[in-house]
Amino acid sequence: MVEELKKVGFKTVVMIDPGIKVDLDYWVCKDGLEKEVFCVRGDGPLLVAPVWPGDCYFPDFTNPKVRDWWADLYKELIAEIKVDGVWNDMNEPAIFLADNFTQSEKTFYNDVRHDYDGHPCSHRKAHNIYGMQMTRATYEGLKRHAPDRRPFVITRASFAGSQRYTSAWTGDNVASWEHLWIANMQCQRMNVSGMSFIGSDIGGFIESPDGELYLRWLQMAIFHPFFRTHSSGDHGEQEPWSFGEEYTHLSRKAIELRYKLLPYMYTTFWQYVKNGTPMIRPLAFIDQHDHDTLYRMEEFGLGDLMLICPISQPQVDGRWMYLPKGEWYNFWNDEPMASRMEFWAETAIEEIPVFIKAGAVLPMFPIQQYTGEFEKPEVRLHVYYINGEQDSQLYLDAGDGYDYQNGEFRQSDFKVCGTENSIFIEQKFEGSFKGFIDMFEIQLHALPGKVLSIKTDDGEIDFENEVKNKIEVVVFRVNHDFEKITISFEKFDEEE
């Protein structure tokens, strides 16, 4: 099944919980007992508690020998069946209440003992790191048994430092407008706490959203690093096509935008890994010296160039919001926006407020049905006019494996310099990655004049242009290795 799914573009992620069913005919249980990997109570007996399989034993992931044992368990799944990732759930650790398990919390007794990397302690001390150490062992197992692939791990519970091993989501939420708002807050706060690879269960895990709530949640979440629509399955269907044709169409439009933005998202991820900068940025992170950013919570930046403000109320045609310092354009219509002031952002049902920084070079892919559909996708660079200077970056590699460590990557550093009648696009790049079409398609946005000529290192080139509401839209193609592009234009007559 996994092999058949892979042929049509699906990547399979399996869920593995910490609870090991108490069953001497189950080889994992038997092996764990022989190697003494399971947690014990303070007075000596093994911890036994109910989870999904019934009564379970629990590995002590704070013990390095247990982590090594756990990592080896993945050999069949990763090296032979070749699943693409592992989802660790219930690892707070969570347990179910039962008649013979009387404590009020749904987790281990406080007297459960842990190795704690050679510093024995009770569960009171080890509780917060239990999930992190499980994902650490899982990560090492994936890396061990598929050394040519990057480990993909998801977890429900973890701790500071876990970004080295895993992605995460915000837990079992509810299908409500309040929880859409909460998901926005959680993802921002996790990002500035060091954990950027984070998202929420789109539409809510518990109960059922209507079409509008599901769509608004989806429209916000396409800008979150971890993007997943998910539910318990107990409350009706919740796929993107479950709410009628209108919402199917609008959901498709949002998901397609996510696929188009992948090179920008990937570049932002690379910046996070390289520099430690959060992928999602609250307004106060963008401009902490502006007092008006300190109490505004819903707006957030994605990387260096984008700002998003979700719609978190039903049946509205807009919302009040705030743009931080700088010059910005409306992503949907290229309208220039004033910053450092509150304004009413109108929004139709098919979109939420999204803004792009002036001078940005925003990279996009063509629409894909799954990552890797195109062996060599074309990169379109959306360049936004500025009367000044702005830096941008593009980072690409194979998306998996470790060839990037040997130079198989593409890092482009762009500088856009604009004046009243010209705009220059400069590029410096390094790396030998060739996994994209060797021509960039460039689209110029928000030019305040009619283009007269476009010149590159190889001379003057042809272009297509269209004027809409005194805004010049220009599209042209250049070699990927260009060093400088010069665009000359004639300003529109203000009386036109």
Side-chain angles (χ1 to χ4, degrees):
M1 183 193 72
V2 171
E3 184 179 351
E4 290 174 356
L5 287 170
K6 198 181 296 285
K7 290 178 181 177
V8 291
F10 285 93
K11 298 173 177 62
T12 306
V13 178
V14 294
M15 182 186 288
I16 306 290
D17 292 359
I20 302 300
K21 181 175 175 61
V22 176
D23 182 351
L24 294 182
D25 293 326
Y26 178 32
W27 71 271
V28 177
C29 176
K30 185 177 179 180
D31 192 55
L33 288 170
E34 291 174 354
K35 294 177 180 174
E36 299 182 346
V37 303
F38 297 128
C39 293
V40 298
R41 298 290 302 276
D43 53 356
L46 290 169
L47 169 66
V48 179
V51 205
W52 296 109
D55 281 346
C56 290
Y57 299 131
F58 296 83
D60 180 10
F61 295 110
T62 73
N63 187 326
K65 293 181 180 179
V66 176
R67 293 197 297 269
D68 186 65
W69 171 80
W70 186 260
D72 260 347
L73 296 179
Y74 283 104
K75 181 178 180 180
E76 180 185 15
L77 280 171
I78 302 303
E80 300 171 17
I81 300 175
K82 296 184 179 179
V83 301
D84 293 284
V86 173
W87 168 3
N88 287 161
D89 198 18
M90 301 289 287
N91 56 342
E92 284 75 19
I95 57 102
F96 296 157
L97 296 182
D99 293 340
N100 63 344
F101 206 88
T102 57
Q103 72 180 91
S104 58
E105 299 85 2
K106 294 184 177 183
T107 191
F108 291 177
Y109 286 105
N110 285 333
D111 74 337
V112 171
R113 305 302 297 171
H114 295 277
D115 177 80
Y116 212 76
D117 283 272
H119 303 275
C121 67
S122 74
H123 190 67
R124 292 186 67 180
K125 184 173 183 178
H127 177 81
N128 283 354
I129 68 160
Y130 187 87
M132 172 189 178
Q133 298 289 35
M134 180 185 181
T135 60
R136 179 182 182 181
T138 300
Y139 171 91
E140 293 298 336
L142 272 61
K143 198 168 184 179
R144 179 179 304 174
H145 299 298
D148 59 337
R149 300 187 338 222
R150 302 178 200 172
F152 178 67
V153 183
I154 312 171
T155 190
R156 191 171 83 179
S158 212
F159 194 66
S162 61
Q163 65 270 19
R164 291 170 291 174
Y165 312 119
T166 184
S167 63
W169 87 103
T170 56
D172 295 348
N173 52 14
V174 175
S176 69
W177 290 94
E178 179 189 17
H179 275 235
L180 184 159
W181 183 89
I182 289 172
N184 183 9
M185 299 302 105
Q186 288 176 309
C187 290
Q188 289 188 45
R189 291 168 183 178
M190 288 292 286
N191 268 257
V192 295
S193 299
M195 184 79 182
S196 276
F197 203 174
I198 187 78
S200 63
D201 283 350
I202 297 169
F205 180 76
I206 300 167
E207 301 179 3
S208 296
D210 60 16
E212 183 187 13
L213 173 59
Y214 179 83
L215 176 66
R216 290 306 197 189
W217 207 317
L218 189 75
Q219 290 170 335
M220 171 186 72
I222 64 172
F223 300 102
H224 286 166
F226 183 69
F227 175 62
R228 180 180 76 173
T229 180
H230 180 55
S231 76
S232 68
D234 298 333
H235 311 282
E237 296 181 355
Q238 199 167 302
E239 290 80 15
W241 54 84
S242 303
F243 304 96
E245 181 54 37
E246 176 189 6
Y247 290 109
T248 299
H249 169 73
L250 295 174
S251 296
R252 180 183 293 114
K253 179 180 177 181
I255 294 169
E256 287 177 346
L257 176 58
R258 166 74 175 202
Y259 275 92
K260 290 167 68 175
L261 286 171
L262 282 180
Y264 177 71
M265 183 72 75
Y266 200 70
T267 299
T268 303
F269 216 128
W270 167 74
Q271 293 168 335
Y272 160 58
V273 172
K274 181 182 178 184
N275 305 320
T277 49
M279 297 179 69
I280 292 177
R281 303 167 188 180
L283 286 189
F285 186 96
I286 298 172
D287 187 3
Q288 61 181 308
H289 300 295
D290 180 354
H291 290 181
D292 285 328
T293 68
L294 303 182
Y295 64 88
R296 306 195 70 95
M297 295 183 290
E298 295 202 54
E299 303 93 332
F300 64 88
L302 174 62
D304 296 331
L305 308 176
M306 301 189 77
L307 190 128
I308 298 95
C309 192
I311 299 297
S312 56
Q313 297 291 329
Q315 299 179 354
V316 297
D317 57 4
R319 61 162 302 136
W320 290 100
M321 62 166 294
Y322 187 88
L323 286 173
K325 65 180 179 181
E327 300 175 58
W328 299 87
Y329 293 103
N330 187 311
F331 174 75
W332 306 106
N333 60 19
D334 290 350
E335 179 185 359
M337 307 298 300
S339 62
R340 287 191 163 179
M341 61 178 294
E342 188 176 62
F343 66 97
W344 176 258
E346 292 187 4
T347 179
I349 187 64
E350 63 264 22
E351 59 196 37
I352 63 173
V354 180
F355 303 89
I356 307 298
K357 186 175 288 188
V361 177
L362 181 69
M364 288 192 184
F365 278 160
I367 295 170
Q368 301 175 77
Q369 297 306 309
Y370 56 89
T371 54
E373 179 184 7
F374 303 127
E375 182 179 353
K376 284 193 170 186
E378 182 174 61
V379 178
R380 172 173 280 199
L381 303 177
H382 293 261
V383 180
Y384 290 78
Y385 172 75
I386 186 174
N387 191 351
E389 295 185 0
Q390 174 63 42
D391 295 327
S392 304
Q393 290 185 303
L394 168 65
Y395 178 86
L396 297 170
D397 61 27
D400 201 358
Y402 298 95
D403 287 343
Y404 69 92
Q405 296 176 346
N406 299 316
E408 288 290 322
F409 65 88
R410 166 65 176 245
Q411 177 189 339
S412 292
D413 295 298
F414 299 106
K415 180 182 289 291
V416 173
C417 305
T419 69
E420 291 188 354
N421 54 21
S422 64
I423 183 171
F424 306 91
I425 308 168
E426 298 177 352
Q427 178 188 207
K428 295 180 180 179
F429 65 91
E430 59 179 302
S432 57
F433 179 62
K434 302 292 186 182
F436 58 97
I437 294 175
D438 60 4
M439 298 287 288
F440 285 146
E441 182 172 283
I442 296 181
Q443 181 171 335
L444 303 178
H445 292 260
L447 285 179
K450 183 176 178 59
V451 171
L452 302 176
S453 67
I454 300 178
K455 298 178 180 178
T456 69
D457 318 302
D458 300 323
E460 195 162 330
I461 62 171
D462 296 330
F463 59 91
E464 298 178 5
N465 68 307
E466 182 179 2
V467 178
K468 294 182 179 180
N469 299 321
K470 291 188 177 181
I471 297 294
E472 180 87 344
V473 179
V474 179
V475 177
F476 59 95
R477 291 166 64 85
V478 295
N479 289 323
H480 73 92
D481 57 355
F482 77 88
E483 294 183 2
K484 185 174 183 179
I485 302 171
T486 303
I487 300 107
S488 300
F489 60 87
E490 182 180 37
K491 291 195 68 175
F492 293 123
D493 188 338
E494 294 183 0
E495 297 182 357
E496 288 183 2

